[in-house]
């Protein structure tokens, strides 16, 4: 167990940075920590060690970071962490010991995350090709999709289930989007937990869990080479973030966007396209963006029943909106999308609405959505 640490200590020819991370189970925390570490390092070319205090070992990302970065990653808990540090944490002139605080992500916001993508290893690329062959998919282009499941919350975050039940994906509303992607010659592959219950998409296409385990390198292998990720109201964009790939998000809750630091939202705007949820009062009034912004802290709770049963209604993205958004996403990636003057005006107005308090950056809402719902911006 200790042999790898001894080798690292012997191989380090100069002062070695040792980062100690304490993360939760979700891979998003780990990826964000690693991206922040990559950005804050003064010696970009020097080797460093990351000891992760967690029982959830994300093998795929470990492999990806170790291959692309000059770093060693170790996942440990309990006494093994103590032993690792006893070997690695030598006097300060040999090692630089950096324990990141629990509030690191919230308090240490950075203006720009690293824009240097991780480079998948040959082994990861080879595994991706093998998987695509097994799935009957082409190597010419595929789209990965992730949906929100209440069963996932039951397993991973049961205490938040009453807050997230309302967010569960409705698979029947995503069917036309799947059909559209296939008509464009793009294969679709489900990542994460398989769609089931209300989230089940009644179409036959590969689900990763039929071929590999969740959290393994197969999930990262597919995500690292996808055309883009389609995320339905779930924060799966982190799986593409290390590779600087694009995310298309449907049924996007602006409430989550507004909770984030301005620098955080700015980092992701250029690689995301979103279709937001809309909220409607008991009187049937659809919230404008201005009102949704004003009541941002209560919209999600109200839909979840926390602020009064049935206080707010939620309008999900229609199949037509989703198909229009997917078409825009593909054209933007191809470089053929051009906004007309009216759309530019609407986007400028949207930015002004979100900047009124001097903090928020407008989410990258699809132009097709803005044109369809002008009144949300203009009222």
């Amino acid at each position: 167990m200790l042999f790898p640490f001894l080798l690292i200590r012997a191989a380090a020819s100069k002062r070695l940075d040792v980062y100690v991370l304490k993360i939760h189970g979700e891979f998003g925390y780990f990826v964000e920590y690693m991206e922040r570490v990559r950005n804050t390092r003064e010696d970009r070319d020097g080797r460093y060690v990351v000891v992760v205090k967690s029982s959830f070992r994300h093998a795929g990302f470990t492999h990806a970071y170790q291959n692309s970065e000059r770093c060693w990653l170790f996942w440990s808990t309990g006494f093994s962490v103590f032993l690792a540090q006893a070997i690695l944490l030598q006097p300060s002139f040999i090692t630089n010991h950096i324990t990141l605080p629990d509030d690191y992500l919230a308090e240490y916001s950075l203006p720009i995350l690293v824009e240097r993508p991780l480079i998948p290893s040959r082994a990861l690329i080879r595994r991706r090709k093998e998987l695509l062959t097994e799935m009957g998919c082409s190597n010419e282009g595929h789209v990965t999709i992730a949906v929100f499941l209440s069963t996932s919350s039951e397993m991973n975050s049961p205490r938040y289930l009453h807050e997230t039940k309302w967010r569960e994906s409705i698979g029947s509303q995503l069917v036309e989007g799947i059909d559209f992607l296939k008509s464009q010659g793009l294969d679709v592959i489900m990542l994460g937990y398989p769609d089931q219950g209300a989230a089940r998409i009644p179409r036959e296409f590969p689900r990763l869990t039929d071929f590999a385990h969740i959290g393994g390198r197969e999930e990262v292998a597919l995500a690292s080479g996808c055309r883009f990720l389609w995320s339905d109201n779930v924060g799966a964009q982190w799986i593409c973030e290390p590779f600087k790939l694009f995310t298309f998000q449907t049924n996007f809750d602006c409430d989550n966007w507004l909770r984030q630091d301005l620098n955080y939202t700015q980092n992701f705007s250029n690689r995301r396209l979103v279709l937001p949820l809309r909220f409607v009062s008991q009187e049937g009034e659809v919230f404008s963006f201005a009102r949704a912004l004003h009541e941002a802290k209560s919209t999600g709770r109200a839909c979840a029943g926390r602020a009064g049963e049935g206080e707010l209604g939620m309008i999900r993205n229609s199949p037509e909106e989703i198909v229009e958004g997917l078409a825009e996403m593909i054209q933007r990636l191809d470089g053929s999308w051009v906004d007309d003057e009216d759309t530019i005006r609407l986007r400028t107005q949207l930015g002004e609405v979100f900047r009124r308090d001097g903090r928020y950056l407008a989410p990258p809402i699809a132009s097709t959505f803005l044109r369809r719902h002008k009144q949300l911006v203009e009222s």
Side-chain angles (χ1 to χ4, degrees):
M1 180 179 69
L2 302 181
F3 187 63
F5 298 103
L6 293 170
L7 286 180
I8 290 173
R9 183 63 267 159
S13 59
K14 59 180 181 179
R15 194 180 188 191
L16 190 67
D17 286 340
V18 180
Y19 295 87
V20 181
L21 313 181
K22 182 180 179 181
I23 66 169
H24 304 285
E26 291 293 331
F27 69 82
Y29 291 102
F30 169 63
V31 171
E32 187 169 4
Y33 267 118
M34 287 300 297
E35 292 302 292
R36 293 287 173 91
V37 167
R38 292 174 74 203
N39 191 50
T40 54
R41 285 182 49 74
E42 295 181 2
D43 183 6
R44 294 292 179 87
D45 298 322
R47 285 197 173 276
Y48 60 100
V49 176
V50 179
V51 179
V52 188
K53 295 181 178 180
S54 174
S55 57
F56 296 90
R57 186 180 186 277
H58 298 290
F61 281 116
T62 298
H63 178 82
Y65 277 111
Q66 289 187 150
N67 176 73
S68 187
E69 292 286 290
R70 293 173 59 83
C71 73
W72 291 283
L73 266 165
F74 295 97
W75 298 76
S76 303
T77 56
F79 189 62
S80 59
V81 173
F82 172 78
L83 292 178
Q85 293 181 78
I87 293 173
L88 289 171
L89 306 185
Q90 302 298 315
S92 59
F93 63 87
I94 299 176
T95 63
N96 181 27
H97 177 210
I98 308 160
T99 300
L100 300 182
D102 291 340
D103 60 357
Y104 176 68
L105 298 182
E107 299 297 328
Y108 294 77
S109 301
L110 303 170
I112 300 175
L113 288 178
V114 175
E115 290 301 317
R116 184 178 71 255
L118 292 183
I119 301 173
S121 66
R122 292 179 180 177
L124 205 62
I125 295 173
R126 183 169 58 251
R127 183 59 183 136
R128 183 201 308 152
K129 291 181 177 179
E130 291 172 354
L131 276 170
L132 291 174
T133 299
E134 292 174 31
M135 294 175 173
C137 297
S138 167
N139 282 313
E140 297 303 317
H142 64 277
V143 172
T144 52
I145 181 172
V147 296
F148 190 93
L149 297 171
S150 61
T151 51
S152 174
S153 292
E154 289 173 6
M155 290 184 285
N156 298 320
S157 306
R159 59 179 174 163
Y160 299 121
L161 181 59
H162 62 286
E163 295 183 7
T164 58
K165 182 72 174 178
W166 65 279
R167 293 175 51 196
E168 185 166 35
S169 297
I170 298 178
S172 60
Q173 297 178 352
L174 309 179
V175 168
E176 291 186 26
I178 299 292
D179 292 343
F180 172 76
L181 290 173
K182 290 184 176 181
S183 74
Q184 301 299 302
L186 292 168
D187 293 307
V188 181
I189 302 170
M190 176 71 68
L191 299 185
Y193 292 100
D195 49 322
Q196 53 187 299
R200 181 70 181 181
I201 302 173
R203 286 291 184 272
E204 290 300 321
F205 61 93
R207 276 78 173 173
L208 177 61
T209 49
D210 292 334
F211 299 87
H213 296 293
I214 294 175
R217 65 172 183 160
E218 288 80 6
E219 197 164 26
V220 177
L222 290 171
S224 67
C226 69
R227 191 86 166 84
F228 62 90
L229 168 72
W230 175 5
S231 169
D232 187 61
N233 204 3
V234 62
Q237 71 275 3
W238 277 111
I239 200 167
C240 288
E241 172 56 24
F243 307 101
K244 310 309 170 190
L245 299 175
F246 290 78
T247 302
F248 174 69
Q249 290 186 269
T250 50
N251 294 306
F252 178 75
D253 182 9
C254 289
D255 187 6
N256 288 332
W257 182 266
L258 298 176
R259 292 178 198 154
Q260 305 296 337
D261 178 83
L262 176 60
N263 293 323
Y264 172 97
T265 55
Q266 189 171 9
N267 292 330
F268 289 104
S269 289
N270 295 331
R271 291 193 301 277
R272 292 169 86 174
L273 193 68
V274 306
L275 301 181
L277 291 165
R278 289 178 292 150
F279 297 96
V280 58
S281 68
Q282 287 181 319
E283 294 74 29
E285 179 190 358
V286 178
F287 282 17
S288 65
F289 285 120
R291 182 174 177 185
L293 178 62
H294 178 70
E295 304 193 25
K297 297 184 183 302
S298 64
T299 52
R301 286 198 299 271
C303 283
R306 299 284 307 271
E309 192 65 34
E311 182 176 329
L312 286 183
M314 178 181 63
I315 304 175
R316 293 176 177 270
N317 301 143
S318 69
E320 294 77 17
E321 291 169 350
I322 291 173
V323 170
E324 289 175 353
L326 286 169
E328 178 180 340
M329 184 72 180
I330 292 172
Q331 290 180 51
R332 285 185 179 276
L333 291 175
D334 291 341
S336 60
W337 181 267
V338 179
D339 280 331
D340 57 25
E341 291 186 4
D342 189 44
T343 305
I344 293 173
R345 176 186 62 81
L346 288 170
R347 198 170 292 284
T348 300
Q349 284 184 261
L350 180 69
E352 292 172 355
V353 169
F354 276 77
R355 279 196 299 269
R356 279 175 189 165
D357 71 349
R359 191 179 96 85
Y360 298 133
L361 183 74
I365 297 173
S367 296
T368 52
F369 187 92
L370 289 178
R371 290 201 294 258
R372 181 183 277 265
H373 301 288
K374 293 181 181 181
Q375 72 281 4
L376 300 182
V377 180
E378 296 172 338
S379 59

